[in-house]
Amino acid sequence: MAIERTFSIIKPDAVAKNHIGAIYNRFESAGLKIIASKMVHLSKEQAEGFYAEHSARPFFGALVSFMTSGPVMVQVLEGENAVLANREIMGATNPAEAARGTLRADYAASIDENAVHGSDAVESAAREIAYFFSAEEVCQRTR
Ligand code: RTP
Ligand code: MG
């Protein structure tokens, strides 16, 4: 098993509904360690840059509008197979298709407002972590 890091966002809908603690509890209960964390209100430019891979998609404008609609929590999670582990905790993009007990099944209202983001690969995780955190902001957890 590989120890990996992944990047996570608690999106504006879940922050507004006071689900930060419940979502952090899911990460920690699954054995993922939070090694960096902060609240930020994304600018339009930050959101557009973060989701640049989707810039040609029809939902891009709505996605950027939603992601800038209120503050988000951004965090780095570390643990065994963290990228896939977090995607499993999150559930499918569309909450109507998300497995029972996943974050999106429990906390997301729609595919457009779906509570959480998680990196989809180790490479995108490294890029996304660097997009939001300096090296000094990411802690070494030895215990
Ligand atoms: P995320 O990047 O936010 O973790 O979500 P994801 O990997 O599960 O899904 P992705 O394909 O990367 O899409 C990013 C976000 O765009 C919205 N979306 N809407 N209406 C649609 O068909 C559609 N497809 C994607 C979702 O809010 C998704 O989280
Ligand atoms: Mg994605």
Side-chain angles (χ1 to χ4, degrees), residues 51 53-54 87 117-118 120:
Y51 278 120
E53 66 180 299
H54 296 310
R87 296 287 294 197
H117 161 81
D120 57 15

Side-chain angles (χ1 to χ4, degrees), residues 11 51 54 59 63 87 90 93 104 111-112 114 117-118:
K11 295 184 180 183
Y51 278 120
H54 296 310
F59 56 81
L63 177 61
R87 296 287 294 197
M90 290 165 55
T93 307
R104 281 167 165 167
I111 191 171
D112 298 309
N114 60 4
H117 161 81

Side-chain angles (χ1 to χ4, degrees), residues 14-52:
V15 171
K17 294 174 190 163
N18 270 358
H19 291 320
I20 296 170
I23 292 172
Y24 272 27
N25 187 30
R26 297 279 182 97
F27 296 149
E28 293 195 309
S29 296
L32 294 174
K33 292 179 176 178
I34 297 162
I35 62 169
S37 172
K38 61 187 171 188
M39 182 176 275
V40 289
H41 194 143
L42 299 183
S43 67
K44 185 167 180 278
E45 291 69 29
Q46 276 178 307
E48 286 174 345
F50 183 74
Y51 278 120

Side-chain angles (χ1 to χ4, degrees), residues 1 9 14 38-39 43 48 50 53 64-66 70 73 78 83 88 91 96 98 100 105 111 114 130 133 140 142-143:
M1 287 279 204
I9 302 177
K38 61 187 171 188
M39 182 176 275
S43 67
E48 286 174 345
F50 183 74
E53 66 180 299
V64 170
S65 175
F66 166 59
M73 290 296 299
E78 186 176 75
V83 172
E88 288 179 353
R100 282 175 65 172
I111 191 171
N114 60 4
F133 292 102
Q140 303 283 343
T142 56
R143 52 180 288 181

